[in-house]
Amino acid sequence: MQHNLGLRELPPEVWLRVFSYATHIPGALEHDDAQALTAFARDKYGISVHRRHREATDLMLSASRVCKTWAPLVTEFLFQYILVKSGDHAVQIAAVLERFEWDQLNRNSAGRWTLRLELALEGVHRWEDQHTAALARIFACCPNVTVFSTAFSTADASLFQGRRFLRAMRDVSMRSNLRRLELKGDAALFETILPPLAHSLEALWLLPSRRTAPNHSLDPMELPFVHTFILSEGFGWGGPPPAWAMPSLGTLCMDDDNLATIAQRKAQGFFAAHGAQLHRLAACRSALCHIRTCANLVEWTISCGLLFHVARLGPSEYWLPATVRRLTLADDMSTTYMLRLDHIALLVEWLGDGLLPALETIRFLLPLGRHVRRQRCREDWEQAFELLYERCKRRGVFLEASIGGDEHTADVWSPLSLDHLLDPLEPYPARYAFSAH
């Protein structure tokens, strides 16, 4: 006589898969997936990732109380991503980790699961010697950490310049197993951590402090395995210098609109050295003049507001990379769209002129809400998008959209609809859902 297998009788492997799915935080743990990393970095303030972390933690704490079978299984998912919010919080976490048992290989039964350690220091507080010691204790309990981050700290930037904090960071720099680094701070912090890790890092996200002198240049450095480099504030602060060698670099993201002479000079040198090897580029204004060096570009992300900086130079004078298969128009995460009818018309022109011959997908990164600047009536938008849709269908190009920060950071896309842009008085006909295939 058959009977249904009780939930508690399911093998542990099944529950591990369930818990892994339930606690997944897109892009938080990877160091080898450039697409996931660049999507994750769109969350500059950590709003989406910290909400997801809180929900995953609450879920696993609840699961740990369900039965004795689940309790040891949940440990892996409770500790794989440790988030430290203050120096005192670091002391508490270190104490919790040290209460767990150690096996014969000197591995902490909880800390051995930790892959991501993040300092998201909040507000203004003191960092003291006991906090530095606590961070060292956490690292001692967590030998398998591959991701370290200070990217989402809101603490005063002066904290990252203090001797005590730099002393704590020297301990980080000794972790040769780190593969991904997300670092907010000034040049002193970068110079403390980066050189010892240069030959192990694969993904690097730098967020320079605005206190960093614009003419400061970091020392020459070789980062042989870095395939993804994300640089907030771009070249405006004086880096990275062309002397930074990244022979494996394939993905570059920058968000600086600084047109100062030093930014242009740095950009020129960097693209001369690395442009030909790039496959993915999220370009700031400083990089536009050097797009022609990117002869093997596959994915190109550009702000809507910069489209006409490309167009003004004209197709005869400006080389659009013929290898691009995916073009993403980013409207950042503002409350009003920069997207205009003129932008749609430009895309139609490019498609009609046969530019970007390898193009397969056009994507729109759009904020929540429907707040297009309506310089023209709704019928104009309908006509413009119908023409774009027809051109895309003829070329076999998909049209997709990602709406709001949660989708942006999780790399979630759906077929573009006019409803994504306009606040309709009534539902639009099905023909305005733009999936070309």
Side-chain angles (χ1 to χ4, degrees), residues 27 30-39 180 227-228 280 411:
E30 293 88 346
H31 57 81
D32 55 358
D33 186 340
Q35 196 74 29
L37 291 170
T38 53
R180 170 176 163 189
H227 58 77
T228 301
R280 294 184 182 90
D411 206 29

Side-chain angles (χ1 to χ4, degrees), residues 29-102:
L29 305 178
E30 293 88 346
H31 57 81
D32 55 358
D33 186 340
Q35 196 74 29
L37 291 170
T38 53
F40 180 87
R42 295 184 186 121
D43 190 2
K44 294 181 183 178
Y45 305 105
I47 295 172
S48 294
V49 65
H50 288 169
R51 178 186 55 74
R52 289 174 173 137
H53 177 268
R54 182 172 61 252
E55 291 172 352
T57 301
D58 291 345
L59 180 61
M60 288 298 95
L61 285 173
S62 298
S64 68
R65 302 186 185 100
V66 171
C67 63
K68 292 181 180 179
T69 303
W70 282 10
L73 301 179
V74 165
T75 301
E76 173 181 346
F77 304 97
L78 272 175
F79 288 92
Q80 67 180 352
Y81 177 174
I82 292 180
L83 180 63
V84 180
K85 295 186 176 181
S86 69
D88 291 341
H89 192 204
V91 173
Q92 296 169 3
I93 291 173
V96 169
L97 286 169
E98 290 171 343
R99 284 202 291 267
F100 282 82
E101 297 178 353
W102 297 73

Side-chain angles (χ1 to χ4, degrees), residues 112-431:
R112 68 191 177 100
W113 297 114
T114 303
L115 299 177
R116 179 183 179 91
L117 177 59
E118 177 181 329
L119 301 187
L121 305 180
E122 298 178 335
V124 179
H125 63 272
R126 299 178 63 185
W127 184 275
E128 300 178 343
D129 288 341
Q130 61 174 329
H131 305 145
T132 299
L135 186 63
R137 289 159 56 200
I138 292 173
F139 269 120
C141 292
C142 304
N144 300 317
V145 171
T146 56
V147 183
F148 179 77
S149 177
T150 66
F152 304 125
S153 289
T154 61
D156 181 24
S158 62
L159 172 66
F160 302 112
Q161 301 167 351
R163 293 179 182 176
R164 289 191 177 100
F165 193 83
L166 288 179
R167 204 156 53 235
M169 293 300 98
R170 288 193 184 96
D171 184 69
V172 173
S173 68
M174 301 302 294
R175 312 297 299 189
S176 60
N177 55 330
L178 285 179
R179 296 294 179 266
R180 170 176 163 189
L181 189 63
E182 304 167 4
L183 206 56
K184 174 186 281 186
D186 65 354
L189 182 63
F190 298 159
E191 289 169 342
T192 296
I193 295 183
L194 283 176
L197 295 174
H199 284 75
S200 65
L201 288 178
E202 297 176 18
L204 179 61
W205 180 15
L206 296 183
L207 301 95
S209 166
R210 293 193 177 274
R211 296 188 181 188
T212 303
N215 59 352
H216 188 97
S217 183
L218 300 181
D219 292 334
M221 191 185 316
E222 183 176 5
L223 299 153
F225 303 113
V226 169
H227 58 77
T228 301
F229 183 31
I230 303 168
L231 182 60
S232 297
E233 304 303 329
F235 293 94
W237 63 285
W244 276 21
M246 298 182 182
S248 300
L249 185 65
T251 300
L252 176 65
C253 301
M254 300 179 299
D255 62 1
D256 183 24
D257 283 339
N258 194 318
L259 286 175
T261 301
I262 188 169
Q264 288 299 318
R265 188 171 67 247
K266 295 292 183 181
Q268 181 177 2
F270 192 81
F271 276 91
H274 300 95
Q277 68 194 56
L278 295 178
H279 295 153
R280 294 184 182 90
L281 175 66
C284 63
R285 190 178 303 178
S286 299
L288 279 182
C289 296
H290 312 291
I291 193 69
R292 69 186 65 200
T293 67
C294 304
N296 299 297
L297 202 60
V298 175
E299 298 183 23
W300 185 23
T301 299
I302 185 171
S303 167
C304 293
L306 294 182
L307 272 181
F308 287 104
H309 287 276
V310 178
R312 284 192 192 109
L313 296 173
S316 61
E317 300 174 52
Y318 203 93
W319 182 63
L320 293 173
T323 53
V324 170
R325 295 202 296 266
R326 179 180 297 159
L327 175 66
T328 301
L329 302 182
D331 213 339
D332 303 321
M333 298 172 70
S334 59
T335 56
T336 59
Y337 292 163
M338 294 173 62
L339 187 64
R340 304 190 321 229
L341 281 172
D342 294 345
H343 298 139
I344 303 301
L346 181 61
L347 289 177
V348 170
E349 180 183 331
W350 285 1
L351 291 167
D353 290 344
L355 299 177
L356 301 173
L359 194 64
E360 298 173 357
T361 309
I362 298 176
R363 287 178 161 181
F364 293 81
L365 274 170
L366 302 172
L368 285 172
R370 302 177 177 119
H371 304 291
V372 167
R373 295 179 182 177
R374 298 190 190 179
Q375 295 92 348
R376 302 180 187 176
C377 66
R378 172 172 155 169
E379 287 73 17
D380 288 336
W381 281 97
E382 292 179 359
Q383 293 173 9
F385 268 79
E386 185 170 19
L387 183 56
L388 177 62
Y389 169 61
E390 291 301 329
R391 287 285 170 87
C392 286
K393 186 175 182 179
R394 194 179 307 162
R395 288 271 303 263
V397 175
F398 280 112
L399 284 167
E400 297 178 338
S402 180
I403 311 299
D406 283 349
E407 289 192 2
H408 295 178
T409 57
D411 206 29
V412 173
W413 302 88
S414 58
L416 178 68
S417 166
L418 194 57
D419 288 356
H420 287 140
L421 299 177
L422 301 181
D423 191 2
L425 299 176
E426 58 186 22
Y428 280 86
R431 65 193 173 103

